[in-house]
Amino acid sequence: VVDADGRTVPFEALYVEQKAIVVFVRNFLCYTCKEYVEDLAKVPKAFLQEANVRLIVIGQSSYHHIKPFCSLTGYTHEMYVDPQREIYKTLGMKRGEGNNVSVRSPHVKSNTFLGCIRSVWRAMTGPAFDFQGDPAQQGGALILGPGNEVHFLHLDKNRLDHVPINTVLQLAGVKTVNFTNKPQIIDV
């Protein structure tokens, strides 16, 4: 994988020393990925440190797109790219949409039409008209490490098939996060 400064890092180095939640996104222009990463950005660093877990997002574009995408989403955890999609292929992440469109990510707020319009607009107004990866590539989520231990693997069937973030946090032993903007009701 490649970091935001263009340095190559072996994929294994991301989880060899400590447990890591690794989220593979479709591409950086995908509106569902953007909204999912916006919610990943809400995971407090303190929750991750307390559980000794790294939170990592991997995209499949040029590393030049990492900093703008982090700025757009507010994401401050680790992010890398796999520009040749080698890890995507090794893990068996599919290309194309599955036929199960009833799956709906709880982290996607936009409807399909507006989300697609926003994605195309960002592509057209970006510094280089670039779809920032293979638009047919699907993503997934893993919990790995330390070492070669795989605790969890989910391969997305389509753009809306994200694992709920709190599910992944719980499986990794990290405190969960309230993603709703609604005030909490406390019974006394």
Side-chain angles (χ1 to χ4, degrees):
V1 293
V2 183
D3 72 10
D5 296 318
R7 289 185 296 261
T8 302
V9 177
F11 179 62
E12 301 80 31
L14 303 180
Y15 57 85
V16 73
E17 297 291 325
Q18 71 185 106
K19 189 180 286 185
I21 298 169
V22 184
V23 175
F24 288 83
V25 295
R26 296 178 66 242
N27 61 68
F28 291 155
L29 285 176
C30 169
Y31 75 95
T32 63
C33 297
K34 175 189 165 286
E35 293 179 8
Y36 191 72
V37 173
E38 285 172 338
D39 277 358
L40 284 171
K42 296 174 185 172
V43 177
K45 287 188 186 294
F47 287 14
L48 296 166
Q49 290 167 345
E50 186 179 305
N52 195 27
V53 173
R54 296 168 78 172
L55 177 57
I56 301 163
V57 169
I58 297 179
Q60 44 123 0
S61 69
S62 163
Y63 72 91
H64 299 294
H65 297 296
I66 294 175
K67 288 178 183 175
F69 189 68
C70 287
S71 177
L72 177 70
T73 59
Y75 184 83
T76 59
H77 305 291
E78 296 176 73
M79 188 173 295
Y80 301 89
V81 291
D82 175 12
Q84 305 306 316
R85 299 186 354 260
E86 292 172 24
I87 301 165
Y88 286 79
K89 293 171 191 168
T90 300
L91 292 172
M93 292 181 187
K94 59 186 286 219
R95 289 187 69 252
E97 295 281 333
N99 33 1
N100 182 5
V101 291
S102 63
V103 178
R104 178 81 180 160
S105 171
H107 302 282
V108 175
K109 291 96 182 157
S110 298
N111 67 41
T112 304
F113 178 73
L114 283 176
C116 289
I117 294 294
R118 286 186 191 114
S119 293
V120 170
W121 181 253
R122 281 192 303 143
M124 290 172 27
T125 58
F129 186 68
D130 174 4
F131 276 96
Q132 302 178 21
D134 179 350
Q137 180 65 57
Q138 297 302 323
L142 295 91
I143 302 172
L144 303 162
N148 288 327
E149 196 166 342
V150 178
H151 303 277
F152 175 79
L153 169 65
H154 172 83
L155 303 178
D156 297 346
K157 294 175 187 71
N158 61 50
R159 72 186 73 214
L160 297 173
D161 188 28
H162 300 127
V163 176
I165 293 168
N166 278 333
T167 300
V168 178
L169 293 175
Q170 277 184 318
L171 290 170
V174 179
K175 288 182 191 171
T176 58
V177 176
N178 177 14
F179 292 106
T180 66
N181 293 326
K182 298 173 187 159
Q184 292 282 331
I185 298 173
I186 301 172
D187 288 329
V188 184

